[in-house]
Amino acid sequence: MRSRRKLRFRLIVTFTLFGFSLSALFAFAALNIRTRVEEQLINSALQDEVDSLNQKVLNHQPVSFEILKGATFSDRTIYKAPLPWQNLDTGVHDIFDVGSDGKQHHYKVAVRKEGGIISFLEFDVSRDELGKRQLMTSVIAAVFLFGLLSLVLGVWLSSRVLRPVTDLARRLRDFRRVGKAEALAPHFADDEVGELAVALDEYATRLTAVVERDREFNSDVSHELRTPLAVIASTTELLQGSPDLTDKLRERLKRIERASRQATELIEALLLLSRAERRGPTRGEVTDVAKVASDVIESQRPQMGGKPIEIELISDGTVAVNAPASVLSVALTNLIGNAIKYTMEGQVTVRVLDGRIDVIDTGPGIKPEDAEKLFQRGIRGESATGGGAGLGLAIVRRLCELYGWDVSLRPRPEMAGAISTIDFR
């Protein structure tokens, strides 16, 4: 998983690293230039001095040595020169030798060979090493000082730069609390953040129009469908009151009545989902889970189609939820209906326990890795047959999320089959 950092943190780190790197690069360049220039100046001065020394010796002029240690030899007496000097050619050479103090020293030795005279000038460079170390310490301290200054400036500049973005985020959060979107662009300057505010205003306008059209469509569909369903329910109720009905016809009218009631409950649940609106039962009442489960089982018995299946309801106590019966009925209808559809023979058990309800079947079961996928829209089980768009479990998941319930699906551990659970806690 990629690490997520706040934009301000990234800006501070970037500015600090940039300041530190730039200071370090400048310090390195300054030290390098200083070393090169010093090297060239010393070499040039030594070469000029040794040339002058050699010329004075040739002209029999008096010579004196102050800071520099010098010596002259002829071609015949060169062996009297220090051993490291004897094979040096004309020019300036770096010699590392032990000094009179017994420590290793770095010397610059300038050599001039002319007219049978060999002149040497020796300069102890080690005397400047202390100054170089002090300069290096000062430069390193300056680099860290500038790095710290870059950190302070980064903190200050990041707050200034991100202030419009933070203001934009704050206004968006305020809109969420108020529930009404207002224009953002007038509150910001004509810059990049202002362009973002304009784009957000345009997006909010389009999104509001889409939501309004969706709400109007849902309201219209709900209103138009409830009217014919109410007519069907009232007609079947009147027909059931007829004294000359046969038992077979009366059973069919009951099926029509149950289907009409299920359609009404489904419309109500889908309307709640479309509005993302959570509504409790009327008059402060709670819904009995076992009673709704019993009604759903009776309504799903015709779906067995003559299969050798037994449906059993087990209730260990009274479990009530603060939700409309229609919402719970839609969720259980999908779970119990799936259990009946996928079970060819055996038993479907609906068990109401403390704070939850389990639907257990003896069907082909599911793979553990596929359990969560089945709650996605359009996903059906591998053993699914017949019609269906794979939307039932997706609707159940959305209803449970709306009311704070937890729905899960898992295989039975001891035998073939699946267990679906709604945990109301």
Side-chain angles (χ1 to χ4, degrees), residues 308-311 343-348 362:
I309 302 175
E310 294 182 1
I311 304 179
T343 301
M344 297 297 105
E345 60 179 358
Q347 187 173 10
V348 174
T362 56

Side-chain angles (χ1 to χ4, degrees), residues 161-177:
V161 171
L162 294 179
R163 185 174 300 168
V165 179
T166 305
D167 187 28
L168 179 61
R170 180 184 59 80
R171 290 183 179 275
L172 288 174
R173 286 193 295 268
D174 291 341
F175 293 165
R176 188 183 350 177
R177 288 195 297 265

Side-chain angles (χ1 to χ4, degrees), residues 6-135:
K6 287 187 177 181
L7 180 59
R8 183 180 180 184
F9 176 80
R10 294 200 296 267
L11 286 176
I12 293 174
V13 172
T14 301
F15 194 85
T16 303
L17 290 178
F18 174 76
F20 183 83
S21 301
L22 189 63
S23 302
L25 182 63
F26 179 78
F28 174 78
L31 290 175
N32 187 54
I33 293 174
R34 188 254 188 193
T35 302
R36 289 177 178 272
V37 171
E38 183 183 41
E39 183 85 6
Q40 291 176 359
L41 290 176
I42 292 177
N43 290 347
S44 178
L46 284 176
Q47 190 64 55
D48 291 342
E49 288 293 330
V50 77
D51 290 345
S52 175
L53 172 64
N54 190 272
Q55 193 64 37
K56 288 180 179 181
V57 172
L58 288 175
N59 296 333
H60 304 286
Q61 296 177 359
V63 295
S64 62
F65 305 103
E66 296 178 357
I67 299 178
L68 302 178
K69 176 183 178 182
T72 59
F73 302 92
S74 64
D75 292 339
R76 296 183 298 276
T77 62
I78 184 62
Y79 64 89
K80 294 182 179 180
L83 184 62
W85 295 7
Q86 295 179 9
N87 296 322
L88 297 178
D89 294 328
T90 298
V92 180
H93 306 272
D94 290 290
I95 300 295
F96 295 90
D97 198 2
V98 178
S100 59
D101 57 357
K103 298 180 180 179
Q104 188 80 3
H105 286 251
H106 178 199
Y107 300 99
K108 289 279 189 181
V109 178
V111 182
R112 181 66 180 177
K113 296 181 178 181
E114 185 179 2
I117 299 299
I118 305 174
S119 300
F120 297 92
L121 279 181
E122 181 186 55
F123 176 69
D124 189 356
V125 184
S126 301
R127 293 180 299 178
D128 293 339
E129 294 296 330
L130 178 60
K132 290 182 179 180
R133 288 196 296 270
Q134 292 176 346
L135 178 61

Side-chain angles (χ1 to χ4, degrees), residues 255-415:
R255 292 180 60 184
I256 295 175
E257 182 184 18
R258 284 195 296 265
S260 174
R261 186 173 66 253
Q262 289 178 0
T264 303
E265 294 172 346
L266 180 60
I267 290 173
E268 182 178 353
L270 293 178
L271 189 60
L272 290 175
L273 285 179
S274 67
R275 295 174 178 173
E277 178 182 297
R278 175 174 174 174
R279 182 175 64 82
T282 59
R283 297 180 183 178
E285 296 178 356
V286 292
T287 300
D288 189 347
V289 176
K291 183 179 183 305
V292 174
S294 177
D295 294 340
V296 171
I297 289 174
E298 292 303 319
S299 66
Q300 291 297 310
R301 287 189 185 277
Q303 306 299 326
M304 295 168 56
K307 294 188 293 184
I309 302 175
E310 294 182 1
I311 304 179
E312 181 183 12
L313 174 62
I314 302 174
S315 179
D316 293 347
T318 302
V319 178
V321 294
N322 185 22
S326 58
V327 172
L328 183 59
S329 177
V330 170
L332 293 181
T333 297
N334 280 283
L335 297 182
I336 297 175
N338 279 346
I340 294 175
K341 180 169 63 174
Y342 290 110
T343 301
M344 297 297 105
E345 60 179 358
Q347 187 173 10
V348 174
T349 303
V350 180
R351 187 169 55 191
V352 181
L353 304 173
D354 183 21
R356 77 173 196 269
I357 182 170
D358 295 333
V359 180
I360 308 169
D361 63 59
T362 56
I366 60 170
K367 296 180 180 179
E369 60 271 16
D370 293 338
E372 190 63 25
K373 297 179 182 178
L374 295 177
F375 288 100
Q376 301 176 11
R377 292 177 62 88
I379 303 297
R380 303 179 64 201
E382 294 182 355
S383 57
T385 57
L391 299 178
L393 290 180
I395 293 175
V396 174
R397 167 62 62 84
R398 292 180 60 194
L399 286 173
C400 290
E401 289 178 349
L402 185 62
Y403 282 88
W405 304 335
D406 181 58
V407 60
S408 60
L409 187 62
R410 62 188 185 278
R412 295 184 67 172
E414 71 281 358
M415 57 184 297

Side-chain angles (χ1 to χ4, degrees), residues 212-228:
E212 287 297 328
R213 288 197 301 268
D214 185 60
R215 285 181 177 177
E216 292 175 358
F217 173 78
N218 291 329
S219 298
D220 294 342
V221 169
S222 176
H223 178 269
E224 295 301 325
L225 287 179
R226 282 178 177 177
T227 300

